């Protein structure tokens, strides 16, 4: 049997956070949510946030950002090549290879957080973006009409779903070789499509870019239509975010995946899968993953259908989809905040010896993980606050959107089904964190 | 709506199917047996050990649960060395001699000296033992032996009789590998040529008292009685005693501790809880969780 066959939570790391005190957290979360909703209904009758979303100009920021972007574009491309190469030449072992920690922690966990802070950084530095625009330069007069399945935006759901499956269900998901092949396959597919239809059209199929850009609407930094750098209050970007059905589906898929990750951390799940390994474990986890994603998605769809019936608005789900984005950030923070800060430290060690050749490029090859960097109390509070906070922000924006469109009373009524879903999400999210 | 109901129905069917086949027994791929040992010696060794076990029990029931202080200190203090060790284990530099008609072999027996130590008798064939120092270049079929106690490297020797002192009371795993002059290990099909045995040491330092004890039994690819869970506070020590019916490796995540298990021989790992969180203990080869430590 392969030595890389290590059963790991969310792809990497066998540590999880201490359970927070069970029902208290869930009840207080639900209460906060209901109270904030009541306050909104009483006090918030006009849309206020769309104006705030405009922000103000950051003078001279573009120059700084674009030069920074150029440097990081090169660095990220180099890191991408080093990591992909390392996944094959480096040791075939989860903990001594750079690839798993880079993919599952630095990229997948760090990416959304960085987007929420610094805006659409991934679109600016992504290796696929770099390679794709390179292809556009080589083939500038691309006249091929892109097919509708590409332009619809639904294709972005595919890489995200596959990524989740490899991370959370596939028993070999933490193998560097598997990740290496996945990266090569993904890059090759994207580039082949870019060759045929031009990167501008294929960009929408780069799921990670789509997801990270979505998270970037939470950021206080953004670029307006004229590519000028502006700053605004964090989260206010949501007020002007236009969601499409495919974007809603992507957010729900990630939300469901994160929830499933929480489920697999429970003792209930551990007992359910005790003794399982290999493909039988993969089967069980696949079914579980699909189930949880379906439940999360169905709950949202049903609530928005009800809300749509109450308001006579057919695109209710998309209209309020923006409120899912802060919830996703909250879930991400709650589940992966400590993973990033603790297990993520391994990136520092492995970066010095990316190919397992005994190098010490940045003299960090002996860096040990400082497991006490954040205390368990801090982690617990971050978990509760981020889940509740994410939902409160979501409720606020959903309400702001509603009063923009409908009379205050209709708006409020349309929100009831969604509020129930939010309360259910909050409580589920918190209960899962209680082990 | 119909479509959605259909999807739910299909999912339910798949779930039922998966539940029904949940017990799809994935036959564990044959795990290479590391032990290379003459049959006679094996019996002899086991017998010695058994008698000692009884002795120990007669004298002091405590001794039975004794564990190794040494190994723990090393784990805790010398994390670097530990890491390297673990790495060596996974992808250590090996010199493959699978092609040879008569590859080197090694066997080892260990007898407790009743005074906190053990005497190892190492036997090799098709192999020449040469001193470690002064260093010499790699010569096929030549080298020295590496001795590990409870997974930690303790000696590099060319002698066939080796005394190990200052062990704590209780079971210790002894492992001997054959190394080249430049300290790579000889291997057949990526498995180091090695011999392992276990010894019950008496008359040594009494071991650290553990605050908690966990006993795990692995049989037929299953963990008896389900996943063992323990809640403990930082600073406490837990003694994890594992018996497996096949050769295995217990791995505690994040703490990055491993315990080598030989078929049928109980082995004990001491874990000092110094990292808070919930940690999984997992069987490395079988790839499933057997243990959960909740440190707060």
């Amino acid at each position: 049997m392969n030595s890389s066959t290590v059963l790991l939570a969310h792809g990497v790391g066998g540590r999880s956070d201490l359970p927070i005190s069970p029902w208290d957290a869930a009840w207080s979360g639900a209460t906060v949510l209901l109270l904030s909703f009541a306050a909104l209904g009483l006090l918030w009758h006009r849309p206020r946030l769309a104006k705030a979303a405009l922000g103000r100009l950051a003078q001279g920021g573009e120059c700084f950002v674009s030069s920074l972007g150029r440097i990081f574009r090169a660095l990220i491309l180099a890191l991408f090549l080093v990591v992909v190469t390392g996944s094959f030449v480096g040791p075939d072992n989860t903990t001594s290879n750079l690839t798993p920690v880079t993919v599952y922690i630095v990229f997948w966990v760090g990416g959304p957080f960085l987007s929420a802070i610094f805006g659409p950084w991934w679109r600016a530095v992504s290796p696929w973006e770099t390679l794709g625009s390179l292809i556009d330069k080589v083939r500038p007069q691309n006249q091929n009409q892109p097919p509708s399945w590409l332009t619809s935006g639904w294709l972005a759901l595919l890489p995200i779903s596959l990524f989740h499956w490899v991370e959370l269900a596939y028993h070999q998901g933490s193998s560097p070789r598997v990740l290496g092949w996945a990266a090569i396959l993904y890059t090759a597919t994207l580039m082949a499509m870019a060759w045929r239809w031009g990167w501008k059209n294929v960009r929408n199929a780069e799921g990670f870019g789509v997801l990270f850009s979505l998270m970037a609407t939470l950021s206080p930094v953004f670029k307006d239509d004229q590519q000028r750098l502006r700053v605004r209050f964090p989260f206010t970007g949501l007020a002007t975010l236009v969601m499409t059905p495919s974007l809603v589906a992507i957010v729900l898929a990630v939300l469901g995946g994160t929830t499933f990750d929480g489920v697999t951390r429970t003792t209930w799940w551990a007992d359910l899968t005790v003794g399982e390994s290999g493909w039988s474990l993969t089967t069980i986890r696949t079914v579980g993953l699909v189930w949880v994603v379906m439940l999360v998605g169905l709950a949202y769809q049903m609530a928005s259908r009800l809300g749509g019936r109450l308001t006579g608005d057919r695109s209710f789900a998309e209209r309020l989809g923006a409120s899912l984005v802060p919830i996703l950030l909250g879930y991400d923070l709650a589940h992966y905040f400590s993973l990033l800060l603790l297990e993520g430290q391994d990136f520092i060690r492995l970066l010095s010896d990316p190919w397992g050749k005994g190098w010490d490029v940045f003299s960090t090859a002996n860096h040990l993980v400082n497991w006490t960097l954040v205390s368990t109390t801090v982690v617990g509070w971050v978990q509760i606050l981020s889940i509740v906070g994410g939902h409160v922000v979501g409720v606020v924006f959903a309400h702001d959107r509603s009063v923009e469109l409908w009379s205050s009373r209709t708006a409020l009524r349309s929100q009831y089904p969604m509020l129930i879903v939010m309360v259910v999400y909050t409580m589920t999210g918190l209960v899962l964190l209680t082990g | 709506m119909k479509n959605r109901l259909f999807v739910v129905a299909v999912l339910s069917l798949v779930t039922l199917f998966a539940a029904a086949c949940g017990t799809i027994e994935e036959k564990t791929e044959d795990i290479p047996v590391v032990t290379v040992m003459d049959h006679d010696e094996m019996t002899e060794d086991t017998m010695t050990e058994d008698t000692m076990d009884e002795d120990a029990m007669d004298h002091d029931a405590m001794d039975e649960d004794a564990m190794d202080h040494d190994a723990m200190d090393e784990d805790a203090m010398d994390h670097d060395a530990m890491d390297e060790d673990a790495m060596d284990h996974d992808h250590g530099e090996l010199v493959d001699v699978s092609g040879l008609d008569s590859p080197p072999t090694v066997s080892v027996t260990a007898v407790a000296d009743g005074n906190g130590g053990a005497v190892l008798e190492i036997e090799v064939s098709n192999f020449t033992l040469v001193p470690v120092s002064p260093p010499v270049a790699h010569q096929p079929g030549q080298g020295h032996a590496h001795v590990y106690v409870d997974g930690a490297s303790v000696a590099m020797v060319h002698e066939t009789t080796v005394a190990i002192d200052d062990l704590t009371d209780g079971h210790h795993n002894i492992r001997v590998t054959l190394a080249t002059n430049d300290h790579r290990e000889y291997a057949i099909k990526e498995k180091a040529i090695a011999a392992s045995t276990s010894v019950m040491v008496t008359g040594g330092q009494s071991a650290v008292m553990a605050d908690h004890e966990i006993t795990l039994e692995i049989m037929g690819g299953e963990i008896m009685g389900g996943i063992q869970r323990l809640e403990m506070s930082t600073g406490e020590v837990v003694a994890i005693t594992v018996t497996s019916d096949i050769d295995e490796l217990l791995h505690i995540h994040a703490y990055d501790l491993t315990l080598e298990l030989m078929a049928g021989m109980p082995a004990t790992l001491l874990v000092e809880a110094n990292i808070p969180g919930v940690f999984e203990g997992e069987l490395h080869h079988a790839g499933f969780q057997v243990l959960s430590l909740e440190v707060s």
Side-chain angles (χ1 to χ4, degrees):
Chain A
M1 177 138 333
N2 199 322
S3 66
S4 70
T5 318
V6 183
L7 184 82
L8 290 171
H10 22 253
V12 276
R15 181 199 58 84
S16 31
D17 295 314
L18 283 171
I20 53 180
S21 92
W23 291 96
D24 306 355
W27 285 122
S28 56
T31 315
V32 169
L33 207 57
L34 289 169
L35 281 179
S36 56
F37 181 72
L40 284 172
L42 286 173
L43 306 169
W44 198 301
H45 302 299
R46 295 181 292 115
R48 295 153 198 255
L49 294 167
K51 219 179 280 167
L54 289 175
R56 53 190 177 79
L57 275 178
Q59 296 289 347
E62 297 91 30
C63 180
F64 175 68
V65 167
S66 69
S67 54
L68 207 65
R70 230 167 278 143
I71 298 169
F72 273 96
R73 187 171 270 242
L75 281 178
I76 295 284
L77 183 65
L79 180 67
F80 177 74
L81 296 175
V82 165
V83 169
V84 172
T85 318
S87 63
F88 294 104
V89 301
D92 189 6
N93 177 294
T94 307
T95 48
S96 44
N97 194 301
L98 178 65
T99 311
V101 68
T102 313
V103 172
Y104 287 133
I105 302 185
V106 177
F107 171 68
W108 181 243
V109 175
F113 292 168
L114 284 180
S115 306
I117 299 170
F118 297 113
W121 69 284
W122 184 246
R123 276 281 161 84
V125 301
S126 145
W128 298 305
E129 201 72 33
T130 312
L131 295 173
S133 15
L134 212 67
I135 284 187
D136 269 7
K137 260 180 207 147
V138 178
R139 271 168 69 95
Q141 58 280 29
N142 205 320
Q143 295 301 323
N144 287 324
Q145 196 59 41
S148 59
W149 50 264
L150 183 62
T151 48
S152 70
W154 280 96
L155 201 59
L157 191 58
L158 191 69
I160 295 288
S161 308
L162 285 178
F163 184 89
H164 258 145
W165 182 78
V166 172
E167 182 196 24
L168 302 169
Y170 183 41
H171 65 282
Q172 289 277 19
S174 51
S175 153
R177 306 288 192 262
V178 168
L179 291 172
W181 279 116
I184 288 180
L185 210 69
Y186 185 48
T187 312
T189 315
L190 281 180
M191 292 314 126
M193 291 198 302
W195 185 264
R196 179 102 173 74
W197 294 297
W199 177 248
K200 270 194 188 63
N201 295 311
V202 178
R203 182 178 283 150
N204 289 332
E206 207 275 270
F208 303 103
V210 172
L211 178 69
F212 291 178
S213 302
L214 203 55
M215 301 300 281
T217 50
L218 301 173
S219 153
V221 196
F222 73 109
K223 272 188 177 171
D224 62 12
D225 305 337
Q226 285 129 42
Q227 296 299 306
R228 287 176 307 181
L229 197 73
R230 298 181 86 103
V231 286
R232 61 188 167 199
F233 198 75
F235 305 121
T236 47
L238 289 172
T240 48
L241 176 64
V242 181
M243 294 290 270
T244 62
S246 61
L247 282 178
V248 173
I250 288 172
V251 177
L252 287 172
V254 180
L255 206 57
T258 312
T259 310
F260 174 69
D261 196 9
V263 171
T264 60
R265 313 302 303 147
T266 59
T267 50
W268 172 77
W269 181 267
D271 286 332
L272 190 76
T273 56
V274 63
E276 301 291 347
S277 62
W279 281 105
S280 73
L281 183 65
T282 304
T283 313
I284 297 172
R285 290 204 284 206
T286 307
V287 173
L289 176 63
V290 175
W291 250 123
V292 173
V293 172
M294 290 296 294
L295 284 180
V296 169
L298 269 179
Y300 181 78
Q301 286 299 336
M302 265 150 72
S304 50
R305 187 160 292 224
L306 260 176
R309 196 165 293 169
L310 288 170
T311 54
D313 184 354
R314 285 176 160 242
S315 52
F316 192 85
E318 291 82 59
R319 229 175 268 292
L320 295 183
S323 58
L324 286 173
V325 180
I327 295 175
L328 182 59
L329 181 72
Y331 265 62
D332 263 357
L333 263 175
H335 283 272
Y336 303 129
F337 162 75
S338 65
L339 186 80
L340 181 69
L341 288 185
L342 299 178
E343 276 89 345
Q345 291 176 40
D346 244 4
F347 181 71
I348 301 169
R349 169 173 68 91
L350 294 165
L351 194 62
S352 265
D353 187 13
W355 292 347
K357 304 275 186 218
W359 300 344
D360 194 356
V361 184
F362 304 106
S363 359
T364 54
N366 293 316
H367 178 87
L368 292 179
V369 173
N370 174 8
W371 292 104
T372 49
L373 188 68
V374 279
S375 76
T376 47
T377 328
V378 171
V379 172
W381 274 109
V382 167
Q383 288 182 323
I384 296 180
L385 291 179
S386 54
I387 291 228
V388 177
H391 282 92
V392 168
V393 173
V395 164
V396 169
F397 278 90
H399 184 78
D400 191 68
R401 271 288 166 93
S402 307
V403 291
E404 188 179 333
L405 293 162
W406 307 298
S407 74
S408 181
R409 176 174 289 184
T410 323
L412 212 56
R413 222 176 27 183
S414 73
Q415 292 285 290
Y416 290 136
M418 201 54 91
L419 182 71
I420 294 170
V421 173
M422 296 271 180
V423 171
V424 171
Y425 278 0
T426 313
M427 291 184 69
T428 319
L430 289 169
V431 166
L432 285 178
L433 291 172
T434 61
Chain B
M1 212 57 200
K2 247 182 194 165
N3 282 340
R4 241 165 243 154
L5 280 176
F6 176 73
V7 172
V8 172
V10 169
L11 264 173
S12 310
L13 277 178
V14 174
T15 314
L16 272 177
F17 178 75
C21 312
T23 42
I24 311 165
E25 290 292 318
E26 275 225 341
K27 269 281 160 253
T28 332
E29 286 160 47
D30 54 328
I31 289 157
V33 178
V34 188
T35 322
V36 181
M37 202 181 270
D38 287 347
H39 188 71
D40 298 352
E41 278 164 1
M42 176 80 115
T43 349
E44 187 194 309
D45 178 53
T46 324
M47 272 164 56
T48 330
E49 204 211 303
D50 278 353
T51 18
M52 301 210 101
D53 244 329
E54 274 161 33
D55 264 356
M57 261 158 54
D58 285 347
H59 284 310
D60 187 353
M62 271 318 215
D63 277 354
E64 248 235 317
D65 309 314
M67 358 54 216
D68 45 340
H69 192 196
D70 281 9
M72 195 180 85
D73 272 356
E74 267 167 41
D75 289 344
M77 285 153 65
D78 201 354
H79 217 269
D80 271 21
M82 186 63 200
D83 267 1
E84 274 161 33
D85 242 48
M87 274 189 191
D88 274 351
H89 214 94
D90 290 324
H91 67 111
E93 283 190 57
L94 301 172
V95 175
D96 204 289
V97 289
S98 314
L100 294 184
D101 288 335
S102 46
T105 63
V106 61
S107 66
V108 61
T109 58
V111 178
D113 63 5
N115 202 15
V119 178
L120 312 187
E121 291 291 342
I122 301 170
E123 262 184 54
V124 296
S125 62
N126 307 321
F127 192 71
T128 321
L129 289 164
V130 297
V132 179
S133 128
V136 282
H138 171 55
Q139 279 273 346
Q142 203 185 68
H144 56 269
H146 284 177
V147 180
Y148 298 86
V149 174
D150 300 320
S153 173
V154 295
M156 296 185 282
V157 295
H158 71 282
E159 298 88 356
T160 52
T161 306
V162 180
I164 298 173
D165 295 323
D166 291 333
L167 296 174
T168 50
D169 289 348
H171 282 290
H172 292 282
N173 286 332
I174 312 278
R175 185 166 183 261
V176 177
T177 59
L178 294 183
T180 62
N181 289 336
D182 50 4
H183 303 288
R184 292 174 295 166
E185 293 189 338
Y186 285 100
I188 293 173
K189 289 182 181 150
E190 296 192 3
K191 273 277 156 187
I193 298 175
S196 299
T197 185
S198 156
V199 64
M200 175 78 192
V201 172
T202 54
Q205 310 152 12
S206 60
V208 174
M209 281 302 297
D211 302 291
H212 303 276
E213 280 168 24
I214 296 181
T215 314
L216 300 172
E217 201 181 337
I218 291 120
M219 220 190 281
E222 272 182 51
I223 167 82
M224 298 288 116
I227 295 169
Q228 300 271 316
R229 296 195 175 83
L230 179 71
E231 288 178 27
M232 56 195 296
S233 310
T234 38
E236 289 184 332
V237 175
V238 57
I240 304 163
T241 306
V242 195
T243 319
S244 166
D245 60 346
I246 48 167
D247 289 356
E248 255 294 358
L249 206 62
L250 175 75
H251 182 221
I252 313 269
H253 290 297
Y255 280 83
D256 220 5
L257 298 175
T258 48
L259 176 67
E260 223 174 299
L261 305 170
M262 282 177 287
M265 293 189 191
T268 303
L269 178 71
L270 271 193
V271 181
E272 191 190 352
N274 48 16
I275 312 171
V278 183
F279 303 89
E280 289 171 4
E282 177 227 4
L283 291 184
H284 202 79
H285 297 302
F288 60 80
Q289 188 190 347
V290 293
L291 177 73
S292 164
L293 293 181
E294 191 180 313
V295 182
S296 55

